Amino acid sequence: MIGLLLTIAKISGGILLGLATLDKWDGESNVFNKIAGKLTPFQTVIGGALVVLPILMIRSGLLYNIISILGGILLLTHVFSKVPALESSLIKLSDKLAPFKAIIGIVLIVIGVLGLF
């Protein structure tokens, strides 16, 4: 059950993070923009799931779990300013990961789809 939730979070988080690249591939139909519009209100929940659930499933696919945690950190960037104790270190990490946002998003989609099989 946790694995399925993590897979759904990976695909959803990947769509949110990789939207710029997916929009270029999409062309005229704007399918990914519509999906991202529906997922945006749940960005904090998806980011939290991408951080917490891989920690619970640490034994299965360490590399996949690390990428999931990085994607969760990118999705939770707006929340870090509200945590005074960890604010500076988490925002620095998030800023260092920002150039790789689209790459991490696409990788999360691929890992999520592979997790379905």
Side-chain angles (χ1 to χ4, degrees), residues 4-117:
L4 181 61
L5 289 174
L6 182 58
T7 301
I8 293 169
K10 286 177 185 176
I11 294 171
S12 302
I15 290 173
L16 288 172
L17 290 173
L19 184 62
T21 304
L22 294 172
D23 191 34
K24 292 177 187 174
W25 294 347
D26 191 19
E28 299 289 325
S29 63
N30 289 327
V31 172
F32 292 112
N33 283 328
K34 293 176 186 174
I35 294 171
K38 304 278 188 208
L39 292 175
T40 301
F42 304 104
Q43 180 175 351
T44 305
V45 176
I46 294 168
L50 284 174
V51 171
V52 173
L53 293 178
I55 294 171
L56 296 176
M57 299 184 60
I58 197 70
R59 292 184 183 196
S60 61
L62 182 63
L63 181 62
Y64 296 155
N65 289 336
I66 290 172
I67 293 172
S68 297
I69 292 170
L70 292 177
I73 289 171
L74 282 170
L75 285 173
L76 292 173
T77 302
H78 65 283
V79 178
F80 294 152
S81 62
K82 299 175 184 173
V83 182
L86 302 174
E87 179 181 7
S88 62
S89 61
L90 291 177
I91 289 179
K92 286 180 187 176
L93 177 62
S94 169
D95 288 341
K96 289 180 182 178
L97 291 174
F100 306 105
K101 185 176 182 178
I103 296 169
I104 292 173
I106 301 300
V107 170
L108 277 175
I109 291 173
V110 170
I111 292 172
V113 169
L114 288 175
L116 292 174
F117 299 107

